[in-house]
Amino acid sequence: MRRLTTLFPSEFLEEHAEELGVVERNRKTQMPALVWSFVFGFAAGESRTLAGFRRNYNATADETLSPGGFHQRLTPTFAEYLRDLVDAALDEVAVPDAVDVDVDRFPDVMIADGTVLRLHRFLSEEFEPRRGEQGGARLHLLHNVTEQTIDRFSVTDQKAHDSTEFSTGSWLEDRLVLFDQAYFKYRRFALIDENDGYLVSRLKENANPLITEELQEWRGRAIPLEGKQIHDVVDDLSRKYIDIEVEAEFKRGQYEGTRSLDTKRFRVVGIRDEDADDYHLYITNLPREEFFPADLATLYRCRWEVDTLFRELKTQYELDEFNTSDPDVVKILLYAALLSLLVSRELLDLVTEQADDEIVFPPERWAATFRSHAQLLLHELGEYLGYSPPPLLERLIEDAQKIHQQRPILQETLATATQPRCES
């Protein structure tokens, strides 16, 4: 428990809540209990409802909250508060390390990616979908493979493109960024190169740059490629690798109302997939002297890490199943999911330290284990923090009683309907 309270000290949780105005100064709400109730309540799954989160809080804190009192605390400010906690934890907690690749050549290897979360149809105005009527949010991550952290994250509506959340600048110097095709843009690649950064991206099918030079010579009657466009000739090739220089034309950013045309030369590498009888094509600015075609394919496999991360969030934590039409609650639950993942990873690090060296903990198996023990962990943590929750019988009475006095329960309705018949 000390490991978790070091990650989120109770004093910090209370002080930051006061700074943002999340709670009143009399501290009627016990913020550590509220935060941990959302973290472990989201992980548990079975209690991933607002009523379930309230029960977790009431089972942990010294004083219980009524349904109305609990709902009053689910505000935009509380969502901002949880987001700040995610930001704080990202600097401390590692995320899954699924691929063993030598990346010492770069100070940092970064992966930019995003995933779509399906929301209630009543949220289509707040979280505008790309098509259809169902609301959709998009979670964007910038994952640092080298440091095993998430450097940046953001939440937008589904219509927002992944690439709009990636900004270039001097921070790219000497760093390698791995992109999927959603981020493909020659201007972005040019800016990365001009900031002394490096990139590897899959080449889009509708991108057909001009080949200016072959970087690998082939003996015999090899098809000459110079002066042709890559997608016009790739289907006619059977060589194991393609290694060429291409020239791409693109528009620069707007300046004084106009956007000028420019060109930039990149390297394109193809790795033949014999099973599919085609090539995996990558565009990069990494030099051939240091990185052979097979090296680029190995580097690009690092992207599996963020795919594994998204898959865990969706399969283990059911991240894209939000049964609410309140946009603030959507954000609260999303940040609770990320906090659950980070706390899970912190505990996995602790378990790994204590276990024998030969024991392996697959991330998704660990996630299932963490979820199944979430309620027990919350109980142990409450005791560690010194909380004295109400007696069990009192909690049962509080949770099980009818809340809405004007809403008849089924037995009352049946009794009222049958009473005249029985009297007659």
Side-chain angles (χ1 to χ4, degrees):
M1 296 301 109
R2 187 186 309 115
R3 187 72 164 254
L4 297 182
T5 55
T6 301
L7 180 63
F8 291 123
S10 294
E11 185 177 0
F12 163 71
L13 295 176
E14 291 168 346
E15 289 179 353
H16 192 54
E18 282 196 5
E19 289 173 4
L20 292 182
V22 176
V23 295
E24 308 86 351
R25 289 194 175 275
N26 62 12
R27 295 186 180 182
K28 183 178 180 180
T29 304
Q30 294 174 302
M31 288 308 298
L34 186 61
V35 169
W36 292 118
S37 295
F38 270 94
V39 170
F40 290 108
F42 200 97
E46 292 79 8
S47 59
R48 197 182 300 146
T49 63
L50 296 185
F53 289 124
R54 184 179 73 87
R55 283 193 290 271
N56 282 331
Y57 175 82
N58 288 346
T60 306
D62 292 325
E63 296 185 14
T64 62
L65 286 174
S66 67
F70 183 79
H71 280 72
Q72 288 176 3
R73 285 153 176 80
L74 306 181
T75 63
T77 307
F78 183 56
E80 180 185 354
Y81 173 77
L82 293 183
R83 179 192 169 90
D84 289 347
L85 297 188
V86 176
D87 277 331
L90 290 180
D91 293 333
E92 304 294 334
V93 180
V95 293
D97 184 3
V99 180
D100 183 16
V101 178
D102 183 10
V103 292
D104 293 339
R105 163 70 173 76
F106 310 97
D108 292 296
V109 176
M110 317 296 291
I111 302 174
D113 207 351
T115 190
V116 173
L117 313 173
R118 301 298 178 188
L119 305 178
H120 198 285
R121 62 187 180 86
F122 289 160
L123 291 173
S124 58
E125 290 187 9
E126 181 78 16
F127 294 95
E128 188 175 358
R130 181 162 294 180
R131 61 180 65 87
E133 297 181 356
Q134 186 176 4
R138 190 179 291 272
L139 172 64
H140 310 266
L141 297 180
L142 184 62
H143 175 34
N144 188 322
V145 179
T146 308
E147 299 294 333
Q148 289 302 302
T149 58
I150 298 173
D151 276 21
R152 304 175 192 175
F153 75 99
S154 61
V155 180
T156 65
D157 59 25
Q158 183 188 349
K159 196 171 183 179
H161 201 277
D162 286 325
S163 64
T164 61
E165 296 301 301
F166 183 89
S167 58
T168 54
S170 58
W171 69 272
L172 288 160
E173 184 175 356
D174 292 331
R175 285 175 162 161
L176 171 65
V177 187
L178 307 177
F179 296 106
D180 72 1
Q181 295 182 5
Y183 294 83
F184 191 96
K185 189 176 290 187
Y186 289 133
R187 182 163 66 93
R188 172 175 293 111
F189 299 161
L191 289 172
I192 292 173
D193 185 70
E194 290 158 10
N195 278 282
D196 297 321
Y198 300 96
L199 68 106
V200 179
S201 170
R202 289 294 296 269
L203 186 71
K204 292 185 75 170
E205 290 186 6
N206 62 355
N208 203 13
L210 179 70
I211 300 171
T212 57
E213 183 182 355
E214 293 191 60
L215 303 178
Q216 182 172 354
E217 294 184 1
W218 293 89
R219 296 179 180 178
R221 302 176 61 183
I223 299 174
L225 303 181
E226 188 173 333
K228 300 176 181 177
Q229 292 179 290
I230 178 62
H231 280 301
D232 294 347
V233 296
V234 69
D235 290 339
D236 299 326
L237 302 178
S238 58
R239 59 189 68 172
K240 185 175 182 180
Y241 299 117
I242 300 172
D243 200 350
I244 55 178
E245 182 184 77
V246 302
E247 184 176 81
E249 185 178 75
F250 62 96
K251 289 184 178 181
R252 288 285 181 179
Q254 194 170 39
Y255 180 73
E256 294 184 350
T258 61
R259 299 181 64 186
S260 60
L261 282 175
D262 203 350
T263 59
K264 189 81 173 180
R265 293 195 174 188
F266 299 100
R267 180 185 174 198
V268 169
V269 166
I271 312 294
R272 187 163 185 80
D273 183 348
E274 296 294 346
D275 294 333
D277 193 26
D278 64 4
Y279 287 89
H280 295 299
L281 296 174
Y282 305 92
I283 185 169
T284 184
N285 62 342
L286 292 173
R288 187 179 188 279
E289 295 76 22
E290 297 181 54
F291 297 91
F292 295 118
D295 296 331
L296 295 182
T298 302
L299 280 172
Y300 197 77
R301 283 204 299 272
C302 288
R303 284 194 51 81
W304 291 348
E305 291 200 18
V306 76
D307 291 337
T308 300
L309 191 64
F310 284 141
R311 186 171 67 250
E312 180 178 340
L313 284 169
K314 288 189 173 184
T315 58
Q316 295 294 332
Y317 296 94
E318 299 175 356
L319 185 60
D320 55 351
E321 295 184 13
F322 291 110
N323 188 24
T324 177
S325 58
D326 187 328
D328 295 325
V329 173
V330 167
K331 294 175 184 177
I332 288 169
L333 295 180
L334 176 57
Y335 299 141
L338 292 174
L339 286 171
S340 295
L341 178 70
L342 293 170
V343 167
S344 168
R345 285 291 166 257
E346 184 71 358
L347 288 176
L348 175 57
D349 190 46
L350 175 63
V351 168
T352 303
E353 290 175 6
Q354 299 298 318
D356 295 335
D357 292 341
E358 65 272 12
I359 297 178
V360 176
F361 300 98
E364 292 192 18
R365 184 176 179 84
W366 165 256
T369 303
F370 172 70
R371 286 188 58 197
S372 66
H373 291 78
Q375 295 290 355
L376 178 61
L377 287 165
L378 179 60
H379 177 73
E380 293 285 333
L381 183 59
E383 289 189 349
Y384 181 82
L385 293 172
Y387 290 123
S388 300
L392 178 59
L393 181 59
E394 183 179 329
R395 294 207 319 263
L396 291 173
I397 294 172
E398 173 70 22
D399 288 341
Q401 65 179 288
K402 186 173 72 172
I403 299 172
H404 303 284
Q405 298 301 322
Q406 302 302 319
R407 183 183 299 171
I409 59 177
L410 179 61
Q411 293 91 329
E412 293 173 350
T413 304
L414 288 173
T416 303
T418 58
Q419 184 175 5
R421 190 179 308 164
C422 293
E423 292 177 351
S424 62

